[in-house]
Amino acid sequence: MKNVTLGIDIGGTNTVFGVVDESGRIICKNSITTNGMEPAEKLFDRLFQEFSEKFKEYSDNYKLIGIGMGAPDANYYTGSIENPPNLNWGYVNVTSLIKKYYDVPFALTNDANAAAIGEMQFGAA
């Protein structure tokens, strides 16, 4: 069984997620609408329902060992999203929301930082 990580990018319009292995190979991916005017809890309910459905066909061969997320105005140190300009959320403790669905290590960072780290590790730059 191979270890994989779930990567999530929360955007103002769409939220994209993908499962990647340790070499950065994408196992599966999908996206849902963010609906940023709704409470964050609704997005996470829809996101993890969609992820669970998508990941079912892979779960015999892959084990989820962590979740990483990039989001606007995310705070790595507190595990929260704080008053994002394109989402009507205010302050959201994302770490505790994630733990309702999966008890695996979780990392959150600003979406621009997440893109830069991804490019550094797996991109052409």
Side-chain angles (χ1 to χ4, degrees), residues 1 17 19 27-30 50-63:
M1 184 168 285
F17 67 89
V19 175
I27 307 302
C28 66
K29 63 182 179 176
N30 205 355
E50 186 70 25
F51 166 71
S52 294
E53 286 298 314
K54 187 84 171 164
F55 193 62
K56 272 182 190 175
E57 63 186 276
Y58 302 95
S59 61
D60 288 343
N61 299 316
Y62 297 98
K63 178 183 177 187

Short mmCIF file of all heavy atoms in Angstrom, two decimals, residues 1 17 19 27-30 50-63:
data_model
loop_
_atom_site.label_atom_id
_atom_site.label_comp_id
_atom_site.label_asym_id
_atom_site.label_seq_id
_atom_site.Cartn_x
_atom_site.Cartn_y
_atom_site.Cartn_z
N MET A 1 0.86 -1.18 0.00
CA MET A 1 0.00 0.00 0.00
C MET A 1 0.90 1.24 0.00
O MET A 1 1.80 1.35 0.82
CB MET A 1 -0.91 -0.01 1.22
CG MET A 1 -1.89 1.13 1.22
SD MET A 1 -3.22 0.99 2.43
CE MET A 1 -4.25 -0.23 1.68
N PHE A 17 -9.01 19.82 -5.29
CA PHE A 17 -8.29 18.88 -4.45
C PHE A 17 -7.68 17.78 -5.30
O PHE A 17 -8.16 17.47 -6.38
CB PHE A 17 -9.19 18.29 -3.35
CG PHE A 17 -10.30 17.40 -3.85
CD1 PHE A 17 -10.09 16.04 -4.02
CD2 PHE A 17 -11.55 17.93 -4.13
CE1 PHE A 17 -11.12 15.22 -4.47
CE2 PHE A 17 -12.58 17.12 -4.58
CZ PHE A 17 -12.36 15.75 -4.75
N VAL A 19 -5.04 14.03 -4.85
CA VAL A 19 -4.29 13.07 -4.06
C VAL A 19 -2.98 12.83 -4.77
O VAL A 19 -2.97 12.52 -5.97
CB VAL A 19 -5.08 11.76 -3.88
CG1 VAL A 19 -4.26 10.72 -3.15
CG2 VAL A 19 -6.39 12.03 -3.16
N ILE A 27 -2.68 11.08 -8.21
CA ILE A 27 -3.44 9.83 -8.24
C ILE A 27 -4.87 10.12 -8.73
O ILE A 27 -5.40 9.42 -9.56
CB ILE A 27 -3.48 9.15 -6.86
CG1 ILE A 27 -2.08 8.97 -6.29
CG2 ILE A 27 -4.25 7.85 -6.90
CD1 ILE A 27 -1.13 8.17 -7.15
N CYS A 28 -5.48 11.15 -8.18
CA CYS A 28 -6.81 11.58 -8.61
C CYS A 28 -6.99 13.05 -8.23
O CYS A 28 -6.29 13.55 -7.35
CB CYS A 28 -7.91 10.72 -8.01
SG CYS A 28 -8.11 10.82 -6.21
N LYS A 29 -7.91 13.71 -8.91
CA LYS A 29 -8.18 15.12 -8.60
C LYS A 29 -9.60 15.46 -8.99
O LYS A 29 -10.25 14.75 -9.76
CB LYS A 29 -7.19 16.04 -9.33
CG LYS A 29 -7.27 15.97 -10.83
CD LYS A 29 -6.24 16.86 -11.47
CE LYS A 29 -6.32 16.76 -12.99
NZ LYS A 29 -5.41 17.67 -13.65
N ASN A 30 -10.08 16.57 -8.44
CA ASN A 30 -11.42 17.05 -8.74
C ASN A 30 -11.56 18.47 -8.20
O ASN A 30 -10.66 18.96 -7.51
CB ASN A 30 -12.48 16.14 -8.11
CG ASN A 30 -13.80 16.20 -8.85
OD1 ASN A 30 -13.98 16.97 -9.78
ND2 ASN A 30 -14.74 15.37 -8.43
N GLU A 50 -17.28 14.75 -1.39
CA GLU A 50 -16.78 14.54 -2.74
C GLU A 50 -15.45 13.77 -2.73
O GLU A 50 -15.25 12.85 -3.52
CB GLU A 50 -16.60 15.88 -3.45
CG GLU A 50 -16.22 15.79 -4.90
CD GLU A 50 -17.32 15.27 -5.80
OE1 GLU A 50 -18.51 15.42 -5.45
OE2 GLU A 50 -16.99 14.71 -6.87
N PHE A 51 -14.55 14.16 -1.84
CA PHE A 51 -13.27 13.45 -1.74
C PHE A 51 -13.48 11.98 -1.39
O PHE A 51 -12.88 11.10 -2.00
CB PHE A 51 -12.35 14.11 -0.71
CG PHE A 51 -11.19 13.24 -0.34
CD1 PHE A 51 -10.16 13.01 -1.25
CD2 PHE A 51 -11.14 12.63 0.90
CE1 PHE A 51 -9.08 12.18 -0.92
CE2 PHE A 51 -10.07 11.80 1.23
CZ PHE A 51 -9.05 11.58 0.32
N SER A 52 -14.32 11.70 -0.40
CA SER A 52 -14.55 10.31 0.02
C SER A 52 -15.08 9.46 -1.13
O SER A 52 -14.64 8.33 -1.33
CB SER A 52 -15.54 10.26 1.18
OG SER A 52 -14.97 10.85 2.32
N GLU A 53 -16.01 10.03 -1.90
CA GLU A 53 -16.54 9.30 -3.06
C GLU A 53 -15.46 9.04 -4.09
O GLU A 53 -15.34 7.94 -4.62
CB GLU A 53 -17.69 10.08 -3.69
CG GLU A 53 -18.97 10.04 -2.90
CD GLU A 53 -19.53 8.63 -2.75
OE1 GLU A 53 -19.59 7.89 -3.76
OE2 GLU A 53 -19.89 8.26 -1.62
N LYS A 54 -14.66 10.06 -4.38
CA LYS A 54 -13.61 9.95 -5.39
C LYS A 54 -12.52 8.97 -4.95
O LYS A 54 -12.00 8.20 -5.76
CB LYS A 54 -13.02 11.34 -5.65
CG LYS A 54 -12.05 11.42 -6.77
CD LYS A 54 -12.77 11.58 -8.08
CE LYS A 54 -11.78 11.88 -9.18
NZ LYS A 54 -12.35 11.68 -10.48
N PHE A 55 -12.16 8.99 -3.68
CA PHE A 55 -11.03 8.20 -3.18
C PHE A 55 -11.39 6.73 -2.96
O PHE A 55 -10.50 5.89 -2.87
CB PHE A 55 -10.49 8.83 -1.90
CG PHE A 55 -9.16 8.29 -1.46
CD1 PHE A 55 -8.03 8.43 -2.26
CD2 PHE A 55 -9.03 7.64 -0.24
CE1 PHE A 55 -6.80 7.93 -1.87
CE2 PHE A 55 -7.80 7.15 0.17
CZ PHE A 55 -6.68 7.29 -0.65
N LYS A 56 -12.68 6.39 -2.90
CA LYS A 56 -13.11 5.01 -2.66
C LYS A 56 -12.44 4.03 -3.61
O LYS A 56 -11.99 2.96 -3.20
CB LYS A 56 -14.62 4.87 -2.80
CG LYS A 56 -15.39 5.14 -1.56
CD LYS A 56 -16.86 4.92 -1.80
CE LYS A 56 -17.66 5.43 -0.64
NZ LYS A 56 -19.10 5.34 -0.88
N GLU A 57 -12.37 4.38 -4.87
CA GLU A 57 -11.82 3.45 -5.86
C GLU A 57 -10.31 3.26 -5.74
O GLU A 57 -9.75 2.35 -6.34
CB GLU A 57 -12.19 3.89 -7.28
CG GLU A 57 -11.62 5.23 -7.69
CD GLU A 57 -12.14 5.70 -9.04
OE1 GLU A 57 -11.57 5.28 -10.07
OE2 GLU A 57 -13.11 6.48 -9.04
N TYR A 58 -9.65 4.11 -4.97
CA TYR A 58 -8.20 4.03 -4.80
C TYR A 58 -7.79 3.50 -3.42
O TYR A 58 -6.63 3.18 -3.21
CB TYR A 58 -7.56 5.41 -5.01
CG TYR A 58 -7.86 6.00 -6.36
CD1 TYR A 58 -8.92 6.88 -6.53
CD2 TYR A 58 -7.09 5.66 -7.46
CE1 TYR A 58 -9.19 7.41 -7.78
CE2 TYR A 58 -7.36 6.18 -8.71
CZ TYR A 58 -8.42 7.06 -8.87
OH TYR A 58 -8.69 7.58 -10.10
N SER A 59 -8.72 3.45 -2.49
CA SER A 59 -8.37 3.20 -1.09
C SER A 59 -7.82 1.80 -0.83
O SER A 59 -7.20 1.58 0.21
CB SER A 59 -9.57 3.48 -0.19
OG SER A 59 -10.65 2.63 -0.53
N ASP A 60 -7.99 0.86 -1.74
CA ASP A 60 -7.39 -0.46 -1.55
C ASP A 60 -5.89 -0.44 -1.76
O ASP A 60 -5.17 -1.29 -1.23
CB ASP A 60 -8.02 -1.49 -2.50
CG ASP A 60 -9.44 -1.85 -2.10
OD1 ASP A 60 -9.83 -1.58 -0.95
OD2 ASP A 60 -10.16 -2.40 -2.95
N ASN A 61 -5.41 0.52 -2.55
CA ASN A 61 -3.99 0.58 -2.90
C ASN A 61 -3.23 1.74 -2.26
O ASN A 61 -2.00 1.76 -2.30
CB ASN A 61 -3.82 0.68 -4.42
CG ASN A 61 -4.40 -0.52 -5.12
OD1 ASN A 61 -4.20 -1.65 -4.69
ND2 ASN A 61 -5.14 -0.29 -6.18
N TYR A 62 -3.97 2.71 -1.71
CA TYR A 62 -3.34 3.92 -1.19
C TYR A 62 -3.87 4.24 0.20
O TYR A 62 -5.05 4.07 0.48
CB TYR A 62 -3.61 5.10 -2.11
CG TYR A 62 -3.02 4.93 -3.49
CD1 TYR A 62 -3.81 4.49 -4.54
CD2 TYR A 62 -1.67 5.19 -3.72
CE1 TYR A 62 -3.26 4.33 -5.81
CE2 TYR A 62 -1.13 5.03 -4.98
CZ TYR A 62 -1.93 4.59 -6.02
OH TYR A 62 -1.39 4.43 -7.27
N LYS A 63 -2.96 4.72 1.04
CA LYS A 63 -3.32 5.11 2.41
C LYS A 63 -3.09 6.61 2.58
O LYS A 63 -2.00 7.11 2.34
CB LYS A 63 -2.45 4.34 3.41
CG LYS A 63 -2.72 4.72 4.85
CD LYS A 63 -1.79 3.99 5.79
CE LYS A 63 -2.05 4.46 7.21
NZ LYS A 63 -1.06 3.91 8.13
#
